[in-house]
């Protein structure tokens, strides 16, 4: 059971959400019945819609969540939420809080990252045939500069010349994500992030990772 997300397009999925339609459709199809849960329950985190019509409305709210992330639309801007092919959607702050945000919370609780994938017997490369299993570094997420000087100091990063939050990512030699931590304050050194999150990525006695220079 699924819903065609093209029903909710305003100017096209890429413009609306930042995702190509086939990609967002795949995300919805994978996650709304995650791990064999009832359709529309998002892994059992939300009540399952009892009818196809209710599931379609749930899919519309899913689409709205990605619109909100991409465009930052305020729930009060009712005209900005209008869907020409799905006019029954009516947005309000109450609807946003009760229907849209819970989907985002449910999505956040789903974890597709398998840390043990780094130990796969085929996770090797020509120059790292034995002990090296993964590569780790941080990446910035640019954020608006806060009006508070104290907050700006916590987020300002001279390397990027702006305020950022950092995400620490580890990938295998096959390119699979096995570690994701954050967000971390932009002022925090990569090595401090690695050390402070070590309980989340314990290593085998023989194991090595390739770090970024700041690690």
């Amino acid at each position: 059971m699924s819903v065609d997300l093209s029903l909710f397009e305003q100017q096209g999925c890429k413009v609306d959400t930042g995702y190509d339609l086939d990609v967002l459709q795949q995300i919805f199809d994978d996650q709304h019945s995650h791990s064999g849960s009832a359709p529309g329950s998002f892994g059992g985190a939300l009540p399952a819609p009892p009818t196809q019509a209710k599931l379609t409305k749930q899919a519309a709210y899913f689409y709205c969540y990605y619109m909100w992330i991409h465009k930052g639309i305020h729930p009060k801007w009712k005209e900005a939420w209008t869907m020409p092919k799905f006019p029954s959607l009516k947005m309000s702050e109450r609807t946003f809080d009760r229907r849209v945000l819970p989907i985002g919370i449910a999505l956040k609780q789903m974890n597709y990252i398998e840390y043990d994938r780094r130990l796969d017997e085929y996770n090797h490369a020509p120059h790292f045939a034995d002990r090296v299993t993964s590569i780790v570094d941080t990446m910035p997420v640019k954020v608006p500069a806060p009006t508070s000087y104290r907050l700006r100091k916590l987020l300002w990063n001279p390397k990027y010349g702006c305020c950022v939050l950092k995400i620490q990512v580890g990938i295998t030699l096959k390119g699979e994500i096995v570690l994701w931590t954050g967000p971390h304050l932009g002022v925090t050194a990569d090595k401090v992030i690695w050390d402070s999150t070590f309980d989340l990525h314990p290593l085998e006695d023989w194991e090595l990772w390739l770090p970024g220079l700041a690690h």
Side-chain angles (χ1 to χ4, degrees):
M1 186 183 295
S2 187
V3 178
D4 184 354
L5 297 187
S6 66
L7 179 63
F8 313 121
E9 290 181 306
Q10 296 178 323
Q11 298 174 284
C13 189
K14 185 74 171 181
V15 176
D16 296 344
T17 69
Y19 286 86
D20 291 326
L21 179 60
D22 60 337
V23 175
L24 192 63
Q25 185 72 58
Q26 185 65 51
I27 293 172
F28 176 75
D29 291 344
D30 287 346
Q31 297 183 342
H32 82 88
S33 55
H34 181 62
S35 297
S37 61
S41 70
F42 292 89
L46 303 175
T51 65
Q52 180 64 36
K54 295 286 188 181
L55 178 61
T56 300
K57 182 63 73 70
Q58 189 85 308
Y61 293 138
F62 170 90
Y63 194 90
C64 287
Y65 178 71
Y66 281 87
M67 285 175 56
W68 175 67
I69 291 175
H70 186 56
K71 295 183 175 181
I73 307 171
H74 196 284
K76 285 184 177 180
W77 304 342
K78 295 182 180 181
E79 66 282 356
W81 297 96
T82 301
M83 296 175 173
K85 292 182 285 186
F86 194 69
S88 63
L89 181 89
K90 307 296 181 185
M91 186 58 68
S92 66
E93 291 183 89
R94 179 178 173 84
T95 298
F96 185 83
D97 289 344
R98 295 183 62 192
R99 303 299 184 196
V100 178
L101 280 185
I103 290 177
I105 294 170
L107 292 172
K108 186 177 183 297
Q109 292 172 348
M110 296 180 191
N111 184 11
Y112 287 89
I113 296 175
E114 297 180 34
Y115 185 59
D116 286 343
R117 292 290 296 168
R118 76 195 195 285
L119 303 178
D120 185 280
E121 60 180 316
Y122 297 107
N123 180 33
H124 302 295
H127 298 291
F128 307 106
D130 298 310
R131 300 181 63 189
V132 174
T133 65
S134 303
I135 304 166
V136 64
D137 207 345
T138 61
M139 64 179 185
V141 177
K142 293 183 180 181
V143 296
T147 56
S148 166
Y149 175 72
R150 290 183 63 189
L151 290 179
R152 283 201 307 276
K153 285 188 65 177
L154 292 174
L155 298 176
W156 178 263
N157 187 291
K159 176 180 177 180
Y160 305 110
C162 60
C163 289
V164 303
L165 292 169
K166 286 184 175 182
I167 304 296
Q168 178 177 239
V169 181
I171 63 169
T172 67
L173 301 180
K174 297 168 62 179
E176 301 167 305
I177 296 176
V178 291
L179 175 67
W180 179 285
T181 72
H184 306 283
L185 295 174
V187 74
T188 309
D190 290 3
K191 186 179 187 307
V192 173
I193 293 174
W194 173 260
D195 290 343
S196 65
T197 60
F198 197 79
D199 287 346
L200 300 176
H201 46 82
L203 305 184
E204 300 292 335
D205 293 342
W206 51 265
E207 186 179 3
L208 299 174
W209 284 36
L210 298 177
L213 289 177
H215 273 78

